[in-house]
PDB file of all heavy atoms in Angstrom:
ATOM      1  N   GLU A 210      23.980  -9.815  -8.588  1.00  0.00           N
ATOM      2  CA  GLU A 210      24.965 -10.804  -9.033  1.00  0.00           C
ATOM      3  C   GLU A 210      25.715 -11.404  -7.847  1.00  0.00           C
ATOM      4  O   GLU A 210      25.938 -12.624  -7.786  1.00  0.00           O
ATOM      5  CB  GLU A 210      25.954 -10.155 -10.001  1.00  0.00           C
ATOM      6  CG  GLU A 210      25.359  -9.805 -11.353  1.00  0.00           C
ATOM      7  CD  GLU A 210      26.315  -8.996 -12.215  1.00  0.00           C
ATOM      8  OE1 GLU A 210      27.371  -8.564 -11.671  1.00  0.00           O
ATOM      9  OE2 GLU A 210      26.005  -8.777 -13.402  1.00  0.00           O
ATOM     10  N   ILE A 211      26.134 -10.553  -6.913  1.00  0.00           N
ATOM     11  CA  ILE A 211      26.887 -11.031  -5.743  1.00  0.00           C
ATOM     12  C   ILE A 211      26.037 -12.001  -4.925  1.00  0.00           C
ATOM     13  O   ILE A 211      26.498 -13.075  -4.522  1.00  0.00           O
ATOM     14  CB  ILE A 211      27.345  -9.838  -4.880  1.00  0.00           C
ATOM     15  CG1 ILE A 211      28.435  -9.048  -5.600  1.00  0.00           C
ATOM     16  CG2 ILE A 211      27.838 -10.315  -3.503  1.00  0.00           C
ATOM     17  CD1 ILE A 211      28.742  -7.714  -4.956  1.00  0.00           C
ATOM     18  N   CYS A 212      24.798 -11.629  -4.668  1.00  0.00           N
ATOM     19  CA  CYS A 212      23.943 -12.478  -3.846  1.00  0.00           C
ATOM     20  C   CYS A 212      23.586 -13.775  -4.563  1.00  0.00           C
ATOM     21  O   CYS A 212      23.503 -14.839  -3.926  1.00  0.00           O
ATOM     22  CB  CYS A 212      22.685 -11.712  -3.431  1.00  0.00           C
ATOM     23  SG  CYS A 212      23.021 -10.427  -2.199  1.00  0.00           S
ATOM     24  N   ASP A 213      23.407 -13.712  -5.872  1.00  0.00           N
ATOM     25  CA  ASP A 213      23.144 -14.934  -6.627  1.00  0.00           C
ATOM     26  C   ASP A 213      24.362 -15.863  -6.579  1.00  0.00           C
ATOM     27  O   ASP A 213      24.236 -17.083  -6.379  1.00  0.00           O
ATOM     28  CB  ASP A 213      22.803 -14.572  -8.070  1.00  0.00           C
ATOM     29  CG  ASP A 213      22.413 -15.782  -8.901  1.00  0.00           C
ATOM     30  OD1 ASP A 213      21.608 -16.604  -8.421  1.00  0.00           O
ATOM     31  OD2 ASP A 213      22.932 -15.921 -10.028  1.00  0.00           O
ATOM     32  N   LYS A 214      25.536 -15.297  -6.718  1.00  0.00           N
ATOM     33  CA  LYS A 214      26.782 -16.071  -6.677  1.00  0.00           C
ATOM     34  C   LYS A 214      26.951 -16.796  -5.339  1.00  0.00           C
ATOM     35  O   LYS A 214      27.391 -17.946  -5.299  1.00  0.00           O
ATOM     36  CB  LYS A 214      27.961 -15.134  -6.933  1.00  0.00           C
ATOM     37  CG  LYS A 214      29.340 -15.745  -6.763  1.00  0.00           C
ATOM     38  CD  LYS A 214      30.404 -14.681  -6.971  1.00  0.00           C
ATOM     39  CE  LYS A 214      31.793 -15.183  -6.641  1.00  0.00           C
ATOM     40  NZ  LYS A 214      32.815 -14.111  -6.788  1.00  0.00           N
ATOM     41  N   HIS A 215      26.583 -16.128  -4.253  1.00  0.00           N
ATOM     42  CA  HIS A 215      26.777 -16.702  -2.914  1.00  0.00           C
ATOM     43  C   HIS A 215      25.496 -17.324  -2.359  1.00  0.00           C
ATOM     44  O   HIS A 215      25.467 -17.716  -1.194  1.00  0.00           O
ATOM     45  CB  HIS A 215      27.291 -15.612  -1.965  1.00  0.00           C
ATOM     46  CG  HIS A 215      28.676 -15.150  -2.276  1.00  0.00           C
ATOM     47  ND1 HIS A 215      29.801 -15.771  -1.790  1.00  0.00           N
ATOM     48  CD2 HIS A 215      29.114 -14.119  -3.051  1.00  0.00           C
ATOM     49  CE1 HIS A 215      30.876 -15.142  -2.236  1.00  0.00           C
ATOM     50  NE2 HIS A 215      30.484 -14.128  -3.000  1.00  0.00           N
ATOM     51  N   HIS A 216      24.471 -17.434  -3.173  1.00  0.00           N
ATOM     52  CA  HIS A 216      23.188 -18.031  -2.777  1.00  0.00           C
ATOM     53  C   HIS A 216      22.627 -17.348  -1.514  1.00  0.00           C
ATOM     54  O   HIS A 216      22.283 -17.986  -0.521  1.00  0.00           O
ATOM     55  CB  HIS A 216      23.334 -19.532  -2.543  1.00  0.00           C
ATOM     56  CG  HIS A 216      22.006 -20.246  -2.502  1.00  0.00           C
ATOM     57  ND1 HIS A 216      21.111 -20.221  -3.554  1.00  0.00           N
ATOM     58  CD2 HIS A 216      21.410 -20.985  -1.528  1.00  0.00           C
ATOM     59  CE1 HIS A 216      20.036 -20.927  -3.235  1.00  0.00           C
ATOM     60  NE2 HIS A 216      20.189 -21.390  -2.010  1.00  0.00           N
ATOM     61  N   VAL A 217      22.557 -16.024  -1.577  1.00  0.00           N
ATOM     62  CA  VAL A 217      21.976 -15.221  -0.500  1.00  0.00           C
ATOM     63  C   VAL A 217      20.701 -14.566  -1.023  1.00  0.00           C
ATOM     64  O   VAL A 217      20.729 -13.839  -2.026  1.00  0.00           O
ATOM     65  CB  VAL A 217      22.965 -14.135  -0.009  1.00  0.00           C
ATOM     66  CG1 VAL A 217      22.283 -13.204   0.996  1.00  0.00           C
ATOM     67  CG2 VAL A 217      24.201 -14.778   0.616  1.00  0.00           C
ATOM     68  N   LEU A 218      19.598 -14.835  -0.389  1.00  0.00           N
ATOM     69  CA  LEU A 218      18.325 -14.219  -0.747  1.00  0.00           C
ATOM     70  C   LEU A 218      18.387 -12.713  -0.497  1.00  0.00           C
ATOM     71  O   LEU A 218      19.015 -12.261   0.462  1.00  0.00           O
ATOM     72  CB  LEU A 218      17.202 -14.841   0.085  1.00  0.00           C
ATOM     73  CG  LEU A 218      15.782 -14.341  -0.165  1.00  0.00           C
ATOM     74  CD1 LEU A 218      15.272 -14.830  -1.515  1.00  0.00           C
ATOM     75  CD2 LEU A 218      14.845 -14.801   0.963  1.00  0.00           C
ATOM     76  N   ILE A 219      17.721 -11.943  -1.337  1.00  0.00           N
ATOM     77  CA  ILE A 219      17.605 -10.498  -1.140  1.00  0.00           C
ATOM     78  C   ILE A 219      16.164 -10.175  -0.762  1.00  0.00           C
ATOM     79  O   ILE A 219      15.230 -10.607  -1.432  1.00  0.00           O
ATOM     80  CB  ILE A 219      17.983  -9.713  -2.409  1.00  0.00           C
ATOM     81  CG1 ILE A 219      19.444  -9.968  -2.787  1.00  0.00           C
ATOM     82  CG2 ILE A 219      17.738  -8.215  -2.213  1.00  0.00           C
ATOM     83  CD1 ILE A 219      19.836  -9.353  -4.120  1.00  0.00           C
ATOM     84  N   VAL A 220      15.993  -9.413   0.314  1.00  0.00           N
ATOM     85  CA  VAL A 220      14.684  -8.848   0.661  1.00  0.00           C
ATOM     86  C   VAL A 220      14.747  -7.369   0.314  1.00  0.00           C
ATOM     87  O   VAL A 220      15.441  -6.588   0.972  1.00  0.00           O
ATOM     88  CB  VAL A 220      14.352  -9.059   2.147  1.00  0.00           C
ATOM     89  CG1 VAL A 220      13.012  -8.396   2.482  1.00  0.00           C
ATOM     90  CG2 VAL A 220      14.297 -10.551   2.469  1.00  0.00           C
ATOM     91  N   GLU A 221      14.059  -6.998  -0.748  1.00  0.00           N
ATOM     92  CA  GLU A 221      14.073  -5.638  -1.290  1.00  0.00           C
ATOM     93  C   GLU A 221      12.842  -4.894  -0.790  1.00  0.00           C
ATOM     94  O   GLU A 221      11.717  -5.161  -1.222  1.00  0.00           O
ATOM     95  CB  GLU A 221      14.098  -5.682  -2.817  1.00  0.00           C
ATOM     96  CG  GLU A 221      14.092  -4.319  -3.483  1.00  0.00           C
ATOM     97  CD  GLU A 221      14.120  -4.401  -5.004  1.00  0.00           C
ATOM     98  OE1 GLU A 221      13.922  -5.516  -5.553  1.00  0.00           O
ATOM     99  OE2 GLU A 221      14.339  -3.359  -5.646  1.00  0.00           O
ATOM    100  N   ASP A 222      13.049  -3.971   0.123  1.00  0.00           N
ATOM    101  CA  ASP A 222      11.947  -3.221   0.741  1.00  0.00           C
ATOM    102  C   ASP A 222      11.813  -1.893   0.010  1.00  0.00           C
ATOM    103  O   ASP A 222      12.733  -1.076   0.027  1.00  0.00           O
ATOM    104  CB  ASP A 222      12.250  -3.007   2.227  1.00  0.00           C
ATOM    105  CG  ASP A 222      11.013  -2.603   3.015  1.00  0.00           C
ATOM    106  OD1 ASP A 222       9.932  -2.465   2.421  1.00  0.00           O
ATOM    107  OD2 ASP A 222      11.137  -2.423   4.245  1.00  0.00           O
ATOM    108  N   ASN A 223      10.655  -1.657  -0.603  1.00  0.00           N
ATOM    109  CA  ASN A 223      10.567  -0.515  -1.517  1.00  0.00           C
ATOM    110  C   ASN A 223       9.269   0.279  -1.365  1.00  0.00           C
ATOM    111  O   ASN A 223       8.465   0.349  -2.282  1.00  0.00           O
ATOM    112  CB  ASN A 223      10.701  -1.005  -2.967  1.00  0.00           C
ATOM    113  CG  ASN A 223      10.840   0.153  -3.933  1.00  0.00           C
ATOM    114  OD1 ASN A 223      11.423   1.174  -3.612  1.00  0.00           O
ATOM    115  ND2 ASN A 223      10.274   0.004  -5.116  1.00  0.00           N
ATOM    116  N   PRO A 224       9.058   0.919  -0.216  1.00  0.00           N
ATOM    117  CA  PRO A 224       7.840   1.713  -0.068  1.00  0.00           C
ATOM    118  C   PRO A 224       7.899   3.073  -0.761  1.00  0.00           C
ATOM    119  O   PRO A 224       6.861   3.698  -0.976  1.00  0.00           O
ATOM    120  CB  PRO A 224       7.722   1.889   1.450  1.00  0.00           C
ATOM    121  CG  PRO A 224       9.117   1.791   1.946  1.00  0.00           C
ATOM    122  CD  PRO A 224       9.816   0.823   1.036  1.00  0.00           C
ATOM    123  N   TYR A 225       9.106   3.542  -1.118  1.00  0.00           N
ATOM    124  CA  TYR A 225       9.262   4.912  -1.614  1.00  0.00           C
ATOM    125  C   TYR A 225       9.603   4.983  -3.104  1.00  0.00           C
ATOM    126  O   TYR A 225       9.842   6.074  -3.621  1.00  0.00           O
ATOM    127  CB  TYR A 225      10.390   5.618  -0.841  1.00  0.00           C
ATOM    128  CG  TYR A 225      10.251   5.535   0.654  1.00  0.00           C
ATOM    129  CD1 TYR A 225      11.000   4.624   1.380  1.00  0.00           C
ATOM    130  CD2 TYR A 225       9.354   6.354   1.341  1.00  0.00           C
ATOM    131  CE1 TYR A 225      10.881   4.525   2.757  1.00  0.00           C
ATOM    132  CE2 TYR A 225       9.226   6.258   2.714  1.00  0.00           C
ATOM    133  CZ  TYR A 225       9.983   5.343   3.417  1.00  0.00           C
ATOM    134  OH  TYR A 225       9.850   5.253   4.779  1.00  0.00           O
ATOM    135  N   GLY A 226       9.648   3.838  -3.802  1.00  0.00           N
ATOM    136  CA  GLY A 226      10.192   3.814  -5.147  1.00  0.00           C
ATOM    137  C   GLY A 226       9.529   4.748  -6.140  1.00  0.00           C
ATOM    138  O   GLY A 226      10.185   5.251  -7.057  1.00  0.00           O
ATOM    139  N   LEU A 227       8.236   5.014  -5.993  1.00  0.00           N
ATOM    140  CA  LEU A 227       7.523   5.884  -6.932  1.00  0.00           C
ATOM    141  C   LEU A 227       7.562   7.356  -6.512  1.00  0.00           C
ATOM    142  O   LEU A 227       6.970   8.208  -7.180  1.00  0.00           O
ATOM    143  CB  LEU A 227       6.065   5.435  -7.065  1.00  0.00           C
ATOM    144  CG  LEU A 227       5.841   4.038  -7.642  1.00  0.00           C
ATOM    145  CD1 LEU A 227       4.343   3.743  -7.739  1.00  0.00           C
ATOM    146  CD2 LEU A 227       6.505   3.875  -8.997  1.00  0.00           C
TER     147      LEU A 227
END
Side-chain angles (χ1 to χ4, degrees):
E210 289 172 351
I211 290 168
C212 288
D213 184 46
K214 173 183 173 183
H215 292 274
H216 195 59
V217 173
L218 181 71
I219 298 173
V220 177
E221 179 180 12
D222 196 359
N223 189 34
Y225 308 101
L227 297 181

